[in-house]
Amino acid sequence: MYDTVNFRLLQSEALGVDFLAETPCFLDNVGEHHYNGETVITGSLNGLKISLNRYLMKIKDGSLCKWYLGDNFQTMGRGDAQRAIERLSDTLHVPISKATVTRLDIAQNFIVKYPTAVYINHLGALRYATRLQEPDGIYYKQSGGRLCFYDKNREQKRHGEPIPELYDGKNVLRYEQRYTKELAKQFKVGCVTGAMLYEEQFYIGLLNRWRDKYTAIKKINDTSLNFQAMRTRQQLYRMGVLTLIKQAGGQLQMIEQINEAQKRGELSNKQAFTLRQAINEACKIRDGLTVPNEAIKELDKKVSEAVKYYR
């Protein structure tokens, strides 16, 4: 589930290694720069970007999964993360297990039945997040990072990179949770280190957070109307309310429209309360009038199954 991981290692944690004198010989595309009298050396290591000064090593802007497994279509679990960090430590001759993690991406690629846009179009609002529609997917901007859903094959083609045979010609939806700042605060720990990435409890917590964020997203039109179940006038009226909710984009979107009308003075507080109550009651008591949307059922199952494997 790991993809991009950025590390920061202090010279005091590097077991006596001189970053400027010793580390550049392990890198490609080495360049030397000078900022405010300080020497900074940059380079790369099979796709990982590395920056050095006499106090600090930064490893960033590259997929640890791709670096270790060859591509990031595969799933990098806890065991692979440990082996990747050990190999990176051996290559650079420094203990990456002690490094501070400054960015962490948790992701999974799903081969799905329908085109990825079908699933993306069903993903609605998320509390405390801004939903951003992009040409290849949707992104939820949060204070400490982003949630991303996009067509993985389309992204791969755009970057001119090969698609593994297993995924070629398939509908591949990627769900990715990016932690880009204040990781220690978000995970309520003193510091997130490389070694923590392969601790079982930490890893289980990451996967559960990834699943729970998906679950918290309001699904747009997450049900389809079941006209075969309509038998009475009351059910007809209720189905009419459900149809209106469906056209509005879902329960949350319908209530938001009522709230906006209340703010504009088009509805009194009592009228708005009555309408919200009617919407919520119609969504709670469905009497078989709706059936789950097949695409959402499929994605729910795949996300749930993805967190069952902790190795």
Side-chain angles (χ1 to χ4, degrees):
M1 302 284 282
Y2 291 118
D3 187 25
T4 296
V5 184
N6 289 355
F7 297 100
R8 183 183 68 228
L9 183 69
L10 298 176
Q11 201 282 326
S12 59
E13 301 166 327
L15 304 179
V17 171
D18 186 323
F19 289 152
L20 295 182
E22 300 177 52
T23 307
C25 66
F26 307 123
L27 307 179
D28 298 317
N29 305 312
V30 175
E32 183 173 320
H33 317 273
H34 298 276
Y35 301 102
N36 299 321
E38 286 289 335
T39 299
V40 177
I41 293 178
T42 58
S44 62
L45 184 68
N46 296 329
L48 299 179
K49 293 182 180 179
I50 298 178
S51 174
L52 309 160
N53 63 31
R54 57 177 172 160
Y55 306 109
L56 187 67
M57 174 190 294
K58 292 183 180 180
I59 303 172
K60 59 181 183 177
D61 300 335
S63 166
L64 185 66
C65 181
K66 187 183 296 185
W67 180 80
Y68 182 70
L69 296 178
D71 62 67
N72 63 352
F73 279 83
Q74 300 180 66
T75 299
M76 170 174 269
R78 192 166 59 89
D80 284 328
Q82 180 173 1
R83 288 184 286 273
I85 288 172
E86 289 171 352
R87 179 184 294 180
L88 191 56
S89 299
D90 291 342
T91 302
L92 295 173
H93 299 273
V94 293
I96 301 300
S97 60
K98 295 183 178 182
T100 299
V101 177
T102 57
R103 171 175 170 167
L104 182 60
D105 292 3
I106 309 298
Q108 183 74 8
N109 299 302
F110 300 115
I111 296 177
V112 291
K113 182 177 180 180
Y114 306 105
T116 57
V118 172
Y119 305 85
I120 289 169
N121 290 340
H122 282 292
L123 300 175
L126 175 63
R127 194 176 184 187
Y128 306 125
T130 302
R131 185 180 187 273
L132 305 171
Q133 188 79 44
E134 299 288 347
D136 63 337
I138 57 170
Y139 300 82
Y140 294 88
K141 185 178 179 181
Q142 300 175 297
S143 59
R146 284 190 172 195
L147 297 186
C148 312
F149 296 83
Y150 57 90
D151 185 324
K152 178 60 177 175
N153 280 356
R154 182 177 176 180
E155 182 214 38
Q156 201 78 349
K157 290 176 182 177
R158 188 173 68 248
H159 292 146
E161 297 180 357
I163 297 172
E165 184 177 354
L166 175 64
Y167 297 91
D168 195 19
K170 304 291 197 326
N171 301 312
V172 183
L173 177 66
R174 184 174 179 85
Y175 166 36
E176 185 173 293
Q177 185 171 22
R178 301 174 183 170
Y179 298 97
T180 55
K181 61 181 180 180
E182 298 182 327
L183 272 66
K185 181 178 178 181
Q186 292 193 65
F187 296 121
K188 296 181 173 60
V189 295
C191 179
V192 179
T193 66
M196 290 179 67
L197 301 186
Y198 43 88
E199 291 178 0
E200 184 175 14
Q201 286 306 117
F202 183 78
Y203 187 66
I204 290 173
L206 280 174
L207 298 197
N208 289 341
R209 288 168 67 106
W210 176 86
R211 177 201 58 206
D212 293 345
K213 280 296 182 182
Y214 165 79
T215 303
I217 295 170
K218 180 63 183 177
K219 309 306 186 294
I220 300 174
N221 300 337
D222 60 351
T223 58
S224 300
L225 297 178
N226 182 11
F227 288 96
Q228 294 180 349
M230 187 172 61
R231 297 288 184 270
T232 68
R233 181 181 298 180
Q234 185 180 15
Q235 287 177 325
L236 174 63
Y237 293 153
R238 190 173 294 144
M239 185 171 283
V241 175
L242 289 170
T243 302
L244 183 62
I245 294 169
K246 181 180 177 72
Q247 291 177 344
Q251 180 181 2
L252 192 64
Q253 284 68 29
M254 187 67 185
I255 289 176
E256 184 60 31
Q257 288 188 31
I258 294 170
N259 292 340
E260 289 179 3
Q262 181 182 1
K263 292 176 182 177
R264 293 193 300 267
E266 298 170 8
L267 294 172
S268 68
N269 292 343
K270 182 178 179 181
Q271 290 171 328
F273 174 80
T274 300
L275 291 177
R276 284 193 295 266
Q277 190 175 42
I279 297 300
N280 291 330
E281 288 177 355
C283 291
K284 286 179 182 177
I285 309 171
R286 288 171 171 169
D287 291 343
L289 296 180
T290 59
V291 292
N293 178 277
E294 288 300 318
I296 290 298
K297 279 180 63 178
E298 179 192 3
L299 189 55
D300 286 349
K301 182 179 179 181
K302 288 183 180 295
V303 171
S304 178
E305 289 177 345
V307 303
K308 293 180 180 178
Y309 305 102
Y310 297 134
R311 292 182 293 176

